[in-house]
Amino acid sequence: CAAASTPGHARSTAQICMKRAALEFDPKAQLLRILEDYPGGQLVSEAVQNAEDGGASQFTLLLDLRHHAIEHQAIAGPAFVLIDNGRGFSEREWTSLRAVNKSEKRSSPSEIGAFGMGSRSYFHYSDVTLVASRGQYGGIDPLKVLPGRHGGWHVSLSEGEIRAEADVLFSPTVAGLCEGFDRMQRGALIRLPLRREQDVLREQEQSDDGQPLAPEITVARAEELFAQWAESAPRLLLFLTSMRRVSFYRWRSGAAQPELVADTNKKYLRGGPRPRLPPSLPDNVTRTYATLREHIVDLS
């Protein structure tokens, strides 16, 4: 960290120690290309695959509809929150987060997802990506929505002002929705504040053609997407190895606790409560990819 400030110009510990972590590319042109190349609606499938790559056995999606008492209102409102109990972020994953136009996992074909690639879909829903993992708190803010954050940051969760913000956004109750997640030791928690009307208006004012990067994500639209993703959970688990459970929670504004909306456990996909799925597939189903895909569609 930098040395103490000069007299009369004191800065907080968080400000002194904050490591700049802005995106490693020109954001405006690249974000437009990313949004064109990666259609929306893939948030959960991408996130679950990333969690699988990290050895996670459980993934949780929370639709957090509350407003939090923190300084920056752009990240204080409703958000999609993604939590897994995998290995969490190493320096490699932090680097991929800052360079979403690349992929740090292209040399590992056995890994289904690639964080740098999977995180591209985040920009359909949010202008800012917040991550808490293994004692670190990072954020990517390509449009510089948050004053003083330099377009991105990467700091220890023990830092003063930043820790206070993280304690609110990544509270123990939220962290506890995914068994095995520990924000200091294991797993990753990603918060995507929903794009607001004022964000869209700001982008229109700043763009040459008067067009925003992406539309507003209203609470109604977020609820619609949330319901679609919750319904798809059983199909997401079919071909994953380490992932055993996918859960969906909603935390309504004013509510004391979140509510469980959907919970899919892989052990129930092999009989018992879900007898439609046989313990083994018929021979004629596995002959070609097309027949296998048709069979899965019939089951869903």
Side-chain angles (χ1 to χ4, degrees), residues 39-158:
Q42 306 302 314
L43 176 65
V44 172
S45 60
E46 294 280 6
V48 170
Q49 289 177 352
N50 287 333
E52 168 84 2
D53 287 351
S57 61
Q58 184 168 333
F59 170 85
T60 297
L61 173 65
L62 166 67
L63 175 57
D64 187 357
L65 300 176
R66 300 170 298 161
H67 288 266
H68 300 278
I70 60 175
E71 177 184 359
H72 295 292
Q73 291 304 299
I75 60 174
F80 290 125
V81 182
L82 320 171
I83 319 170
D84 72 73
N85 63 355
R87 292 186 294 271
F89 274 47
S90 65
E91 185 57 36
R92 179 186 185 185
E93 279 71 37
W94 289 114
T95 299
S96 289
L97 180 64
R98 297 192 299 268
V100 296
N101 59 327
K102 305 175 184 177
S103 170
E104 293 296 319
K105 297 183 181 178
R106 285 176 179 164
S107 60
S108 305
S110 63
E111 296 177 344
I112 295 177
F115 185 83
M117 298 176 71
S119 61
R120 294 173 176 180
S121 62
Y122 297 168
F123 293 109
H124 282 283
Y125 315 99
S126 179
D127 290 334
V128 183
T129 298
L130 310 175
V131 181
S133 181
R134 291 169 57 175
Q136 302 292 311
Y137 175 33
I140 292 298
D141 178 19
L143 300 179
K144 298 185 178 180
V145 175
L146 307 180
R149 295 292 175 91
H150 316 298
W153 67 95
H154 182 190
V155 299
S156 169
L157 276 169
S158 63

Side-chain angles (χ1 to χ4, degrees), residues 238 265-280:
L238 284 177
N265 195 314
K266 200 168 188 177
K267 67 181 180 180
Y268 296 141
L269 296 180
R270 297 184 176 179
R274 296 185 63 87
R276 289 193 305 156
L277 190 66
S280 61

Side-chain angles (χ1 to χ4, degrees), residues 68 81 130-133 136-138 157 165-175 181 183 189-191:
H68 300 278
V81 182
L130 310 175
V131 181
S133 181
Q136 302 292 311
Y137 175 33
L157 276 169
E165 178 180 287
D167 285 345
V168 172
L169 297 179
F170 310 126
S171 69
T173 302
V174 171
F181 170 80
R183 74 176 194 175
L189 193 159
I190 300 172
R191 185 177 181 89

